[in-house]
Amino acid sequence: MIEKRDNIKAILGKPFYENESAIIYNMDCRTGLQMLKDANIVVDSTVTSPPYNIGKEYENTMLVNEFIEWLSEISNLIFDITKANGSYLLNVGYLEVPDKGRAVPITYLLWDKINFYLNQEIVWNYGAGVAAKNYLSPRNEKVLWYVKNNTDYTFNLDKIRDPDVKYPNQKKNGKLRCNTLGKNPSDVWQIAKVTSGENRSSEERMNHPAQFPTDLIQRIIDGFTNEGDIVLDPFMGSGTTADVCMRNNRLSLGFELRKDYCQVISDRLDLITERVYLKELSPTLF
């Protein structure tokens, strides 16, 4: 991975943060993606969650059509730098379309404006969230699984099988009916959100208002990427994609526009490095 990392640095320059498994740039991802495209640098996969255009502290709210155009432009730059059998895992939620809908899934507005092939939509279901009074409480977001080639892509089903099988020993004609590793996890994933607040904050909570849960990214990295891959996250946020890549022998390339979030990522990845080092020194403590 050293050569891959050095090739990227030769194009993008000195990163805000780097280690053996991660390169983080404090840069507008459109600028960085265009530089990579011009230099013919390719990535294996992209795993990300962009701003949802709902007024969070880290985003500038746009008109809905402007937001979709902006996200489509970035997605198509990602397409241009993705290898022939690569993938794009895009987590999106909902937004209001004035005079049309209160909570319109971004997928409805975006899915066919991207040059990738939409292989499947994954429903991410969670328990915690906004408690609504005049409509149903929202409890899901979507992960769009795009691929560049619809007959040649990475899918490591055995890595993400669900061991919670109702009748694991059921047989037919003397043979087990279920894979011994577990069942296909389906396209509906029940994974807890990263929560905040007194007496309810998740253990993995970082100083970021919209944090990817590690369990969600772990399943995506296991299922749709391979060891040694370059995994891009153009909206790095709190650094969960880089965190999981570090622990699973992938090279993470990230862009983050805000310097304070870059520092959050830096501190988070340094802590992982420190824990790994301490574990090697004193494995009995872990």
Side-chain angles (χ1 to χ4, degrees), residues 1-2 5 17-23 246 250-252:
M1 288 197 290
I2 295 176
R5 193 173 71 241
Y17 174 88
E18 67 173 311
N19 62 33
E20 291 183 354
S21 302
I23 323 171
M246 275 186 67
R250 276 77 165 168
L251 175 60
S252 173

Side-chain angles (χ1 to χ4, degrees), residues 36 45 47 56 85 134 171 182 188 205 215 231 255 262-263:
L36 294 172
S45 184
V47 179
K56 292 283 188 179
N85 63 344
N134 300 314
K171 294 182 178 181
V188 178
R205 184 85 228 181
D215 287 349
V231 180
F255 296 107
C262 285
Q263 191 58 55

Side-chain angles (χ1 to χ4, degrees), residues 212-227:
F212 257 157
T214 301
D215 287 349
L216 176 65
I217 303 307
Q218 183 68 58
R219 182 175 288 186
I220 290 173
I221 293 297
D222 283 343
F224 308 105
T225 74
N226 297 308
E227 288 194 19

Side-chain angles (χ1 to χ4, degrees), residues 26-83:
N26 179 206
M27 179 187 294
D28 187 316
C29 67
R30 288 176 295 181
T31 302
L33 293 170
Q34 188 64 55
M35 292 170 69
L36 294 172
K37 177 183 175 180
D38 292 344
N40 296 315
I41 298 291
V42 296
V43 301
D44 297 278
S45 184
T46 297
V47 179
T48 198
S49 182
Y52 293 174
N53 202 45
I54 55 175
K56 292 283 188 179
E57 65 178 55
Y58 49 78
E59 59 183 351
N60 296 317
T61 307
M62 312 176 202
L63 296 175
V64 171
N65 65 312
E66 292 176 349
F67 169 70
I68 296 301
E69 288 174 7
W70 170 81
L71 186 51
S72 299
E73 176 192 351
I74 291 169
S75 297
N76 289 327
L77 279 171
I78 292 169
F79 177 88
D80 291 338
I81 67 164
T82 300
K83 72 175 187 178

Side-chain angles (χ1 to χ4, degrees), residues 135-170:
Y135 51 92
L136 299 174
S137 298
R139 289 296 181 268
N140 79 86
E141 294 181 14
K142 307 299 191 301
V143 178
L144 299 180
W145 174 21
Y146 287 104
V147 295
K148 202 161 187 179
N149 184 328
N150 66 349
T151 62
D152 181 17
Y153 53 84
T154 295
F155 181 46
N156 304 316
L157 176 57
D158 284 349
K159 295 281 189 181
I160 59 172
R161 286 187 180 276
D162 182 356
D164 185 18
V165 179
K166 191 171 184 180
Y167 302 110
N169 298 314
Q170 191 175 64

Side-chain angles (χ1 to χ4, degrees), residues 112-253:
D112 62 345
K113 295 176 176 60
I114 294 177
N115 292 333
F116 285 93
Y117 177 86
L118 180 57
N119 207 34
Q120 201 160 18
E121 178 188 70
I122 300 164
V123 178
W124 168 29
N125 169 240
Y126 44 79
V130 175
K133 293 183 178 180
N134 300 314
Y135 51 92
L136 299 174
S137 298
R139 289 296 181 268
N140 79 86
E141 294 181 14
K142 307 299 191 301
V143 178
L144 299 180
W145 174 21
Y146 287 104
V147 295
K148 202 161 187 179
N149 184 328
N150 66 349
T151 62
D152 181 17
Y153 53 84
T154 295
F155 181 46
N156 304 316
L157 176 57
D158 284 349
K159 295 281 189 181
I160 59 172
R161 286 187 180 276
D162 182 356
D164 185 18
V165 179
K166 191 171 184 180
Y167 302 110
N169 298 314
Q170 191 175 64
K171 294 182 178 181
K172 182 177 182 179
N173 299 326
K175 296 182 180 180
L176 287 172
R177 298 187 63 177
C178 182
N179 189 301
T180 55
L181 295 174
K183 62 186 178 183
N184 186 309
S186 85
D187 60 358
V188 178
W189 295 359
Q190 294 183 325
I191 296 176
K193 289 189 79 172
V194 177
T195 54
S196 60
E198 188 175 355
N199 299 322
R200 64 185 294 273
S201 182
S202 301
E203 186 176 344
E204 65 182 278
R205 184 85 228 181
M206 307 295 294
N207 187 23
H208 191 281
Q211 184 177 338
F212 257 157
T214 301
D215 287 349
L216 176 65
I217 303 307
Q218 183 68 58
R219 182 175 288 186
I220 290 173
I221 293 297
D222 283 343
F224 308 105
T225 74
N226 297 308
E227 288 194 19
D229 279 359
I230 300 176
V231 180
L232 169 69
D233 187 343
F235 304 100
M236 185 57 84
S238 67
T240 305
T241 302
D243 179 326
V244 175
C245 284
M246 275 186 67
R247 301 172 192 269
N248 292 274
N249 195 29
R250 276 77 165 168
L251 175 60
S252 173
L253 168 60

